[in-house]
PDB file of all heavy atoms in Angstrom:
ATOM      1  N   LEU X  34       6.114  20.199 -15.986  1.00  0.00           N
ATOM      2  CA  LEU X  34       7.028  19.855 -17.079  1.00  0.00           C
ATOM      3  C   LEU X  34       6.661  20.585 -18.362  1.00  0.00           C
ATOM      4  O   LEU X  34       7.529  21.112 -19.071  1.00  0.00           O
ATOM      5  CB  LEU X  34       7.018  18.343 -17.316  1.00  0.00           C
ATOM      6  CG  LEU X  34       7.709  17.486 -16.251  1.00  0.00           C
ATOM      7  CD1 LEU X  34       7.489  16.002 -16.540  1.00  0.00           C
ATOM      8  CD2 LEU X  34       9.200  17.786 -16.204  1.00  0.00           C
ATOM      9  N   LEU X  35       5.364  20.632 -18.672  1.00  0.00           N
ATOM     10  CA  LEU X  35       4.933  21.296 -19.893  1.00  0.00           C
ATOM     11  C   LEU X  35       5.175  22.804 -19.822  1.00  0.00           C
ATOM     12  O   LEU X  35       5.647  23.411 -20.786  1.00  0.00           O
ATOM     13  CB  LEU X  35       3.452  21.006 -20.143  1.00  0.00           C
ATOM     14  CG  LEU X  35       3.102  19.582 -20.560  1.00  0.00           C
ATOM     15  CD1 LEU X  35       1.593  19.426 -20.706  1.00  0.00           C
ATOM     16  CD2 LEU X  35       3.794  19.223 -21.867  1.00  0.00           C
ATOM     17  N   ILE X  36       4.843  23.397 -18.666  1.00  0.00           N
ATOM     18  CA  ILE X  36       5.066  24.840 -18.515  1.00  0.00           C
ATOM     19  C   ILE X  36       6.551  25.165 -18.583  1.00  0.00           C
ATOM     20  O   ILE X  36       6.969  26.122 -19.238  1.00  0.00           O
ATOM     21  CB  ILE X  36       4.466  25.323 -17.177  1.00  0.00           C
ATOM     22  CG1 ILE X  36       2.934  25.224 -17.223  1.00  0.00           C
ATOM     23  CG2 ILE X  36       4.879  26.764 -16.893  1.00  0.00           C
ATOM     24  CD1 ILE X  36       2.273  25.498 -15.900  1.00  0.00           C
ATOM     25  N   GLY X  37       7.365  24.341 -17.896  1.00  0.00           N
ATOM     26  CA  GLY X  37       8.810  24.558 -17.931  1.00  0.00           C
ATOM     27  C   GLY X  37       9.388  24.399 -19.323  1.00  0.00           C
ATOM     28  O   GLY X  37      10.226  25.199 -19.758  1.00  0.00           O
ATOM     29  N   SER X  38       8.922  23.380 -20.041  1.00  0.00           N
ATOM     30  CA  SER X  38       9.415  23.157 -21.403  1.00  0.00           C
ATOM     31  C   SER X  38       9.026  24.307 -22.318  1.00  0.00           C
ATOM     32  O   SER X  38       9.832  24.774 -23.130  1.00  0.00           O
ATOM     33  CB  SER X  38       8.862  21.834 -21.948  1.00  0.00           C
ATOM     34  OG  SER X  38       9.295  20.761 -21.155  1.00  0.00           O
ATOM     35  N   CYS X  39       7.770  24.750 -22.186  1.00  0.00           N
ATOM     36  CA  CYS X  39       7.320  25.868 -23.022  1.00  0.00           C
ATOM     37  C   CYS X  39       8.101  27.140 -22.710  1.00  0.00           C
ATOM     38  O   CYS X  39       8.465  27.901 -23.620  1.00  0.00           O
ATOM     39  CB  CYS X  39       5.821  26.103 -22.809  1.00  0.00           C
ATOM     40  SG  CYS X  39       4.773  24.796 -23.455  1.00  0.00           S
ATOM     41  N   TYR X  40       8.381  27.377 -21.426  1.00  0.00           N
ATOM     42  CA  TYR X  40       9.115  28.579 -21.039  1.00  0.00           C
ATOM     43  C   TYR X  40      10.543  28.544 -21.578  1.00  0.00           C
ATOM     44  O   TYR X  40      11.027  29.518 -22.171  1.00  0.00           O
ATOM     45  CB  TYR X  40       9.139  28.703 -19.516  1.00  0.00           C
ATOM     46  CG  TYR X  40       9.972  29.868 -19.017  1.00  0.00           C
ATOM     47  CD1 TYR X  40       9.482  31.170 -19.066  1.00  0.00           C
ATOM     48  CD2 TYR X  40      11.260  29.653 -18.509  1.00  0.00           C
ATOM     49  CE1 TYR X  40      10.239  32.228 -18.610  1.00  0.00           C
ATOM     50  CE2 TYR X  40      12.020  30.709 -18.053  1.00  0.00           C
ATOM     51  CZ  TYR X  40      11.515  31.993 -18.110  1.00  0.00           C
ATOM     52  OH  TYR X  40      12.274  33.038 -17.667  1.00  0.00           O
ATOM     53  N   ILE X  41      11.219  27.409 -21.399  1.00  0.00           N
ATOM     54  CA  ILE X  41      12.609  27.281 -21.859  1.00  0.00           C
ATOM     55  C   ILE X  41      12.693  27.394 -23.368  1.00  0.00           C
ATOM     56  O   ILE X  41      13.533  28.109 -23.925  1.00  0.00           O
ATOM     57  CB  ILE X  41      13.207  25.953 -21.382  1.00  0.00           C
ATOM     58  CG1 ILE X  41      13.348  25.965 -19.856  1.00  0.00           C
ATOM     59  CG2 ILE X  41      14.566  25.709 -22.026  1.00  0.00           C
ATOM     60  CD1 ILE X  41      13.754  24.622 -19.273  1.00  0.00           C
ATOM     61  N   SER X  42      11.793  26.664 -24.061  1.00  0.00           N
ATOM     62  CA  SER X  42      11.821  26.715 -25.529  1.00  0.00           C
ATOM     63  C   SER X  42      11.463  28.104 -26.039  1.00  0.00           C
ATOM     64  O   SER X  42      12.013  28.581 -27.033  1.00  0.00           O
ATOM     65  CB  SER X  42      10.861  25.674 -26.110  1.00  0.00           C
ATOM     66  OG  SER X  42       9.530  25.947 -25.701  1.00  0.00           O
ATOM     67  N   GLY X  43      10.540  28.778 -25.328  1.00  0.00           N
ATOM     68  CA  GLY X  43      10.174  30.130 -25.748  1.00  0.00           C
ATOM     69  C   GLY X  43      11.324  31.098 -25.607  1.00  0.00           C
ATOM     70  O   GLY X  43      11.548  31.941 -26.470  1.00  0.00           O
ATOM     71  N   ARG X  44      12.098  30.990 -24.508  1.00  0.00           N
ATOM     72  CA  ARG X  44      13.255  31.861 -24.318  1.00  0.00           C
ATOM     73  C   ARG X  44      14.309  31.608 -25.390  1.00  0.00           C
ATOM     74  O   ARG X  44      14.944  32.533 -25.903  1.00  0.00           O
ATOM     75  CB  ARG X  44      13.842  31.625 -22.924  1.00  0.00           C
ATOM     76  CG  ARG X  44      12.947  32.114 -21.797  1.00  0.00           C
ATOM     77  CD  ARG X  44      12.767  33.631 -21.851  1.00  0.00           C
ATOM     78  NE  ARG X  44      14.020  34.327 -21.666  1.00  0.00           N
ATOM     79  CZ  ARG X  44      14.503  34.706 -20.490  1.00  0.00           C
ATOM     80  NH1 ARG X  44      13.800  34.466 -19.389  1.00  0.00           N
ATOM     81  NH2 ARG X  44      15.654  35.354 -20.399  1.00  0.00           N
ATOM     82  N   LYS X  45      14.495  30.333 -25.732  1.00  0.00           N
ATOM     83  CA  LYS X  45      15.471  30.005 -26.773  1.00  0.00           C
ATOM     84  C   LYS X  45      15.059  30.579 -28.113  1.00  0.00           C
ATOM     85  O   LYS X  45      15.886  31.090 -28.879  1.00  0.00           O
ATOM     86  CB  LYS X  45      15.639  28.485 -26.875  1.00  0.00           C
ATOM     87  CG  LYS X  45      16.393  27.860 -25.709  1.00  0.00           C
ATOM     88  CD  LYS X  45      16.575  26.373 -25.918  1.00  0.00           C
ATOM     89  CE  LYS X  45      17.378  25.751 -24.781  1.00  0.00           C
ATOM     90  NZ  LYS X  45      17.545  24.282 -24.962  1.00  0.00           N
ATOM     91  N   GLN X  46      13.762  30.494 -28.409  1.00  0.00           N
ATOM     92  CA  GLN X  46      13.279  31.029 -29.677  1.00  0.00           C
ATOM     93  C   GLN X  46      13.438  32.538 -29.729  1.00  0.00           C
ATOM     94  O   GLN X  46      13.775  33.105 -30.778  1.00  0.00           O
ATOM     95  CB  GLN X  46      11.807  30.649 -29.871  1.00  0.00           C
ATOM     96  CG  GLN X  46      11.608  29.177 -30.231  1.00  0.00           C
ATOM     97  CD  GLN X  46      10.153  28.854 -30.461  1.00  0.00           C
ATOM     98  OE1 GLN X  46       9.254  29.467 -29.901  1.00  0.00           O
ATOM     99  NE2 GLN X  46       9.911  27.867 -31.296  1.00  0.00           N
ATOM    100  N   GLU X  47      13.211  33.207 -28.604  1.00  0.00           N
ATOM    101  CA  GLU X  47      13.377  34.655 -28.574  1.00  0.00           C
ATOM    102  C   GLU X  47      14.827  35.042 -28.828  1.00  0.00           C
ATOM    103  O   GLU X  47      15.120  36.002 -29.554  1.00  0.00           O
ATOM    104  CB  GLU X  47      12.911  35.193 -27.218  1.00  0.00           C
ATOM    105  CG  GLU X  47      11.401  35.141 -27.026  1.00  0.00           C
ATOM    106  CD  GLU X  47      10.991  35.647 -25.662  1.00  0.00           C
ATOM    107  OE1 GLU X  47      11.902  36.044 -24.885  1.00  0.00           O
ATOM    108  OE2 GLU X  47       9.792  35.672 -25.353  1.00  0.00           O
ATOM    109  N   LYS X  48      15.769  34.298 -28.231  1.00  0.00           N
ATOM    110  CA  LYS X  48      17.187  34.589 -28.425  1.00  0.00           C
ATOM    111  C   LYS X  48      17.607  34.348 -29.873  1.00  0.00           C
ATOM    112  O   LYS X  48      18.503  35.004 -30.388  1.00  0.00           O
ATOM    113  CB  LYS X  48      18.029  33.728 -27.483  1.00  0.00           C
ATOM    114  CG  LYS X  48      17.875  34.110 -26.010  1.00  0.00           C
ATOM    115  CD  LYS X  48      18.727  33.218 -25.125  1.00  0.00           C
ATOM    116  CE  LYS X  48      18.576  33.602 -23.660  1.00  0.00           C
ATOM    117  NZ  LYS X  48      19.399  32.721 -22.775  1.00  0.00           N
TER     118      LYS X  48
END
Side-chain angles (χ1 to χ4, degrees):
L34 288 174
L35 289 177
I36 292 172
S38 299
C39 291
Y40 176 78
I41 293 172
S42 62
R44 291 296 297 270
K45 288 183 178 179
Q46 286 182 331
E47 289 178 1
K48 291 180 180 179

